[in-house]
Amino acid sequence: MRDKRQNRIRLCFLLLAVLVLLLGVLNLVTGSTSIGAGELCRALFSGERDGSAGRILWNIRLPRLLAAAVLGGALAVSGFLLQTFFANPIAGPFVLGISSGAKLTVALAMIACLGRGMVMNSWGMIGAAFLGALLVMGFVLLAAGRTRGMARLIVCGVMIGYICSAVTDFAVTFADDSNIVNLHYWSMGSFAGVSWEALGTASLAVFVSLACCVLLIKPMTAWQLGEGYAKSMGVNLRRFRLALIGLSSLLSACVTAFAGPISFVGIAVPQLMKLLFKTAKPAVMLPACFLGGAGFCLGCDLLARTLFAPTELAIGSVTAVFGAPVVIWMLLHRDREARA
Amino acid sequence: MSELLYTDKLSVGYGEKSVVRDIALAAKPGQVLCLIGPNGAGKSTLLKTLMGALPPTGGAVYLDGRQLRAYQEQELARISSAVLTARPEPELMSAEEVVAVGRYPYTGRLGILTEEDRRIVRESMEKVGVSDLAETDFSLLSDGQRQRVLLARALCQQPRLLILDEPTSFLDIHHKLDFLQLIRELVGGGGLAVVMSMHELELAQRFADVLLCIRGGRVDRMGNPEEIFSGSYIEQLYAIKNGSYDSLAGTAEGPRAEGAPRVFVIGGGGSGISLYRKLRRLGIPFAVGVLPENDLDLPTARALAAVVITDRANEPVSAAKVNEAMEVLKSCERVVCTTSFGSVNLENRRLLEYAKAHNMLINVNEIE
């Protein structure tokens, strides 16, 4: 029986990996300019960046698809951490207002920098986003109190999210700078225009966070039985809470800093992965969510780029179209199960 | 046997506020120490303090000769484990996975189970008889099965002290008995000390070695069941006003129907007990007689009847007592006889004959 489960898990991982690879290749070969496969391969493997194919590949498509994969994965893992922490299936960085908080502080920081004629580097962006994420997280924790009530937590988060978004809109509207066009575009959410430098920084932050998450696997498993049991088994609750909140905030901050707020990935992907793998074990879910998030965002970005080409859709709209039904289905399913 | 766990002038509570003060308790290996007392007395608070989840508001807890707060978290979790009142709702976890979480204090940083860990998980499940549930999803288990799985999880920590907070509260009587018998078997090995809280007094009386009674912010009494369940102490402990508790039998009765008796019951030998309860339920004051002092009917009759006429134990009922009963019977409207007659209660037959002669006798079923 255990072998059967293990086999299922292996098979699912294989499936996911193939899916991510496939979507990656699709992202690479599709775009507004059609480039032949042979030309693409040459540009890719020769590392030549000067020709038109090389420029499109190295400056536009490759960084964009890598950003979608890494940041999408980070978002899904952040969602999984939050869902486990709050024992709440619809917790996630967007629903809890964390993404919006990060968006607000990044927008404010960008406006402040632009006003002084400076350009913020990518670490500055992550720092600003992290600060915003932590502030909102702290506020949500305070507001939701010690209750594990699902509704109260979510309502608090959604309201805080609206407030942050509104303030961001004010700031963007009244900031006077030509660069505000970029800011507006960013605040809608997009994987476009992530530079190699930004991608490097984001990847470093994401992968270091993920490595730290691996150390949380053990206490998270104990935490799934509830706070009291975790404590009775020797989990240092204070350290665990701080680490988990810090890491989930950092992961979603990285995403918001470079791609803006992206909704529903954080809720939907962990749910889909639990469904696929039939387990909620952190040791399985952590890599699964990362792969799943990467695949989900690659797929959504592909659609955002190609569906109404040359017009591009905001990535958040596409993720919502695919993510929201998952959440609705999950809530209905849960109700049915509770009644049974 | 020396104490594994003891407390010194321990006060427990939340923040600055003590709920129970000056607790001196000791738990020995091979024994079940059971906390009883009214709701809100502080049993759970004390248990939380004993398991180290709550700092004492005063005094100290000693485990294996060392102060509890001197222990590292994981070190403590290797000696002491718990089954809590909180009902875990883990997502998509099999019973075996829940049990395996109990290996937490023994595994490395990544929590990977060794063969040895897996063996202990299997053994723990065998001990509590849930091996066949290993693959079942925890959320699909019945309350009885859950509680056993959680006990197996606690055993997985290989504890010397097991703390159980109202472990039987959600179980039906069958599973209550099973669970408590299991605890007795575990303790029977001699290596394990159990501290638990319970609301089922009659079961605490039967399964605990030592009882600790908490009331009004202090330990009211500590002793073995024979000492605690004597006289009217339990009624005092729980401040029972509406009814009574028979310490010996472990039965609770509602308040008696007061007033002049309207029905006379010629009972005895246990034959009248259900009728006494029925009359009380209907609010009909009644009299009972004549019962020998050692009659099975007597505790219930004493708790519920307006008048009880008794005579010496182990002797035939005397004519004098029956005369006394006759006076009471004459003031009643109806008479019910539930008993048969033998050498001991032969004299009671006079009561029956009088009732028949005066058309007062009715059947048990005629009472409504």
Side-chain angles (χ1 to χ4, degrees):
Chain A
M1 191 68 190
R2 177 178 295 125
D3 290 343
K4 216 169 134 191
R5 246 192 343 244
Q6 295 287 358
N7 280 340
R8 182 192 175 88
I9 288 171
R10 274 193 212 108
L11 196 71
C12 289
F13 270 125
L14 193 71
L15 202 83
L16 266 183
V18 169
L19 191 73
V20 169
L21 264 167
L22 201 74
L23 284 165
V25 171
L26 270 174
N27 265 295
L28 209 58
V29 298
T30 45
S32 47
T33 318
S34 60
I35 309 170
E39 214 178 332
L40 267 177
C41 280
R42 254 198 315 284
L44 186 64
F45 293 113
S46 67
E48 187 233 68
R49 304 180 178 210
D50 295 329
S52 79
R55 263 206 309 280
I56 288 173
L57 185 77
W58 287 99
N59 295 346
I60 299 174
R61 288 191 192 165
L62 208 53
R64 181 170 181 160
L65 84 88
L66 287 176
V70 171
L71 298 179
L75 209 48
V77 170
S78 170
F80 174 67
L81 295 181
L82 291 170
Q83 284 175 13
T84 308
F85 184 69
F86 289 109
N88 188 330
I90 52 173
F94 194 80
V95 174
L96 293 181
I98 296 167
S99 296
S100 308
K103 177 172 107 168
L104 173 61
T105 47
V106 171
L108 291 178
M110 270 161 96
I111 289 167
C113 281
L114 290 171
R116 293 190 180 77
M118 298 184 298
V119 176
M120 237 195 334
N121 72 6
S122 20
W123 286 111
M125 302 262 277
I126 291 187
F130 186 46
L131 186 73
L134 276 183
L135 281 175
V136 169
M137 188 78 188
F139 199 78
V140 168
L141 283 173
L142 273 180
R146 297 178 64 84
T147 55
R148 294 197 128 199
M150 188 154 130
R152 193 171 163 186
L153 180 74
I154 300 301
V155 170
C156 280
V158 170
M159 292 306 133
I160 293 169
Y162 273 120
I163 294 170
C164 290
S165 288
V167 177
T168 312
D169 286 345
F170 281 139
V172 171
T173 309
F174 292 109
D176 51 353
D177 198 285
S178 54
N179 272 318
I180 225 66
V181 181
N182 285 338
L183 192 58
H184 186 69
Y185 195 57
W186 165 84
S187 77
M188 305 266 297
S190 169
F191 290 118
V194 178
S195 66
W196 279 104
E197 189 249 286
L199 182 62
T201 314
S203 303
L204 186 64
V206 167
F207 286 116
V208 168
S209 303
L210 288 178
C212 295
C213 285
V214 171
L215 291 178
L216 282 186
I217 286 176
K218 185 180 165 185
M220 269 167 90
T221 312
W223 178 268
Q224 284 176 325
L225 292 187
E227 186 181 329
Y229 278 109
K231 171 94 186 152
S232 86
M233 282 180 270
V235 178
N236 185 326
L237 290 183
R238 181 207 286 272
R239 216 184 300 155
F240 171 71
R241 283 202 187 97
L242 276 176
L244 196 138
I245 288 169
L247 286 171
S248 58
S249 301
L250 185 58
L251 284 168
S252 49
C254 286
V255 181
T256 310
F258 299 112
I262 297 171
S263 53
F264 289 106
V265 179
I267 314 177
V269 172
Q271 291 302 336
L272 288 172
M273 292 304 116
K274 280 174 197 167
L275 211 64
L276 181 66
F277 284 82
K278 290 209 189 318
T279 176
K281 261 191 196 163
V284 175
M285 288 310 283
L286 222 49
C289 284
F290 187 81
L291 276 178
F296 191 83
C297 282
L298 281 172
C300 287
D301 197 36
L302 189 67
L303 291 176
R305 288 198 295 133
T306 56
L307 219 50
F308 298 103
T311 310
E312 250 188 52
L313 298 170
I315 180 72
S317 319
V318 183
T319 54
V321 165
F322 288 96
V326 173
V327 177
I328 294 169
W329 174 85
M330 197 249 335
L331 284 174
L332 293 178
H333 182 74
R334 232 177 129 79
D335 263 11
R336 207 177 324 133
E337 227 168 49
R339 245 179 282 135
Chain B
M1 265 186 303
S2 65
E3 292 108 6
L4 176 68
L5 175 85
Y6 65 95
T7 62
D8 180 31
K9 294 201 183 73
L10 176 71
S11 295
V12 301
Y14 295 91
E16 296 284 294
K17 204 168 159 272
S18 292
V19 179
V20 190
R21 288 191 181 76
D22 251 341
I23 305 159
L25 66 79
K28 293 175 184 164
Q31 282 198 345
V32 175
L33 171 68
C34 185
L35 311 186
I36 58 173
N39 283 332
K43 298 185 295 292
S44 285
T45 314
L46 173 55
L47 288 179
K48 277 184 195 152
T49 311
L50 295 180
M51 64 178 89
L54 205 62
T57 51
V61 181
Y62 292 87
L63 180 62
D64 206 15
R66 266 168 73 198
Q67 270 219 33
L68 201 61
R69 65 159 173 251
Y71 280 87
Q72 295 282 319
E73 283 141 338
Q74 302 226 346
E75 193 186 3
L76 178 62
R78 290 179 188 193
I79 301 184
S80 146
S81 69
V83 176
L84 308 173
T85 42
R87 311 178 81 194
E89 303 281 347
E91 235 184 322
L92 299 171
M93 260 173 122
S94 70
E96 188 180 24
E97 283 168 350
V98 169
V99 175
V101 176
R103 293 306 293 163
Y104 184 94
Y106 297 93
T107 54
R109 283 203 79 84
L110 297 182
I112 295 163
L113 297 175
T114 62
E115 263 318 300
E116 169 78 356
D117 288 323
R118 294 199 180 282
R119 186 180 60 76
I120 293 165
V121 170
R122 272 197 304 276
E123 279 175 10
S124 304
M125 296 189 82
E126 267 162 38
K127 257 188 221 164
V128 303
V130 291
S131 300
D132 52 329
L133 299 174
E135 299 296 333
T136 313
D137 192 295
F138 184 76
S139 59
L140 298 179
L141 300 179
S142 72
D143 282 333
Q145 292 168 332
R146 276 175 187 227
Q147 211 60 349
R148 277 174 174 259
V149 168
L150 289 173
L151 180 63
R153 190 215 59 80
L155 292 179
C156 237
Q157 283 175 248
Q158 297 178 298
R160 290 161 62 200
L161 173 66
L162 182 60
I163 294 175
L164 310 158
D165 196 355
E166 291 181 25
T168 49
S169 284
F170 291 109
L171 309 185
D172 62 34
I173 186 67
H174 166 133
H175 289 101
K176 277 183 209 286
L177 289 169
D178 275 3
F179 190 89
L180 290 169
Q181 184 52 33
L182 185 59
I183 296 291
R184 286 263 37 131
E185 281 162 21
L186 292 172
V187 161
L192 184 70
V194 169
V195 180
M196 61 194 239
S197 62
M198 268 179 94
H199 278 303
E200 300 91 336
L201 292 175
E202 74 284 7
L203 296 176
Q205 179 180 20
R206 286 153 178 77
F207 287 92
D209 296 295
V210 184
L211 290 145
L212 190 83
C213 312
I214 302 177
R215 185 174 74 125
R218 62 195 184 87
V219 174
D220 204 42
R221 267 192 204 184
M222 182 162 158
N224 58 35
E226 297 76 50
E227 291 161 346
I228 301 297
F229 287 87
S230 64
S232 60
Y233 176 67
I234 294 296
E235 290 182 358
Q236 268 177 50
L237 177 65
Y238 285 88
I240 295 175
K241 289 195 194 77
N242 267 317
S244 58
Y245 186 81
D246 178 357
S247 284
L248 233 80
T251 49
E253 302 291 354
R256 78 181 83 228
E258 302 286 355
R262 286 164 49 202
V263 174
F264 192 97
V265 183
I266 310 166
S271 67
I273 294 177
S274 347
L275 178 59
Y276 306 150
R277 290 188 180 139
K278 180 177 179 183
L279 288 165
R280 188 206 78 78
R281 212 165 56 235
L282 298 173
I284 302 169
F286 63 97
V288 182
V290 176
L291 300 176
E293 292 284 1
N294 61 351
D295 196 276
L296 191 55
D297 269 15
L298 196 58
T300 320
R302 280 238 164 94
L304 300 179
V307 180
V308 186
I309 300 115
T310 64
D311 206 350
R312 289 160 307 163
N314 305 321
E315 299 282 344
V317 169
S318 66
K321 285 290 177 184
V322 173
N323 290 339
E324 194 185 323
M326 191 68 86
E327 291 312 305
V328 180
L329 185 146
K330 284 174 183 167
S331 72
C332 292
E333 297 155 24
R334 294 277 177 250
V335 176
V336 184
C337 179
T338 59
T339 183
S340 56
F341 298 94
S343 60
V344 168
N345 65 347
L346 206 57
E347 197 68 18
N348 278 345
R349 182 165 270 179
R350 268 172 51 211
L351 299 168
L352 177 65
E353 274 152 12
Y354 179 91
K356 270 184 188 161
H358 290 81
N359 226 359
M360 293 167 81
L361 192 70
I362 55 167
N363 206 304
V364 177
N365 304 323
E366 290 173 70
I367 294 168
E368 268 166 24

